[in-house]
Amino acid sequence: MALFGNAHPIDNHQAQQDYARLFGHGETVHAAFLLIRDTILFTDRRLILIDKQGITRKKVEYHSVPYRSITHFAVETAGTFDLDAELKIWVSGSSVPIEKTFTKGVDIYEVQAILTQFVAR
């Protein structure tokens, strides 16, 4: 399903190792998803969007969103004929949400629970 642009889960421990240079002392990955060549990490402190750019994918943008700056979020579950679930996150100072699409195999309720755990502190 990654070929269609939808995110699918990857191993948290592997993501912790692969992106160790990005984390603060003691920061841990709670969930990780791969979207073709991009990655979405939910840590205990922030949401990290990793955008690999260009044909060679050597240029990488790391977008860090502290949970405290998330004003609200929405999830849309996959339906019978709609094979994907969607996540929209609004960040303070922006009227346009960050949008990500997940395969039907991803438990979007788990994604919502992670966000709820950290945003509603």
Side-chain angles (χ1 to χ4, degrees), residues 9-23 27-34 39-43 48 50:
I10 57 176
D11 183 66
N12 296 352
H13 300 292
Q14 187 63 47
Q16 186 81 37
Q17 291 176 354
D18 291 348
Y19 298 103
R21 295 175 61 192
L22 297 178
F23 306 124
E27 186 173 8
T28 58
V29 174
H30 282 259
F33 299 91
L34 182 64
T39 305
I40 305 166
L41 303 175
F42 292 90
T43 77
I48 303 171
I50 301 165

Side-chain angles (χ1 to χ4, degrees), residues 61-99:
E61 177 182 52
Y62 300 96
H63 190 110
S64 180
V65 181
Y67 292 120
R68 69 180 175 276
S69 68
I70 296 174
T71 59
H72 64 286
F73 59 90
V75 295
E76 181 179 302
T77 61
T80 303
F81 299 107
D82 185 12
L83 299 178
D84 54 14
E86 295 179 10
L87 170 65
K88 294 179 185 178
I89 299 173
W90 285 265
V91 178
S92 61
S94 177
S95 61
V96 179
I98 297 169
E99 297 184 47

Side-chain angles (χ1 to χ4, degrees), residues 99-112:
E99 297 184 47
K100 297 296 175 183
T101 304
F102 296 81
T103 62
K104 191 172 185 175
V106 171
D107 183 356
I108 197 68
Y109 295 106
E110 178 185 350
V111 174
Q112 179 175 330

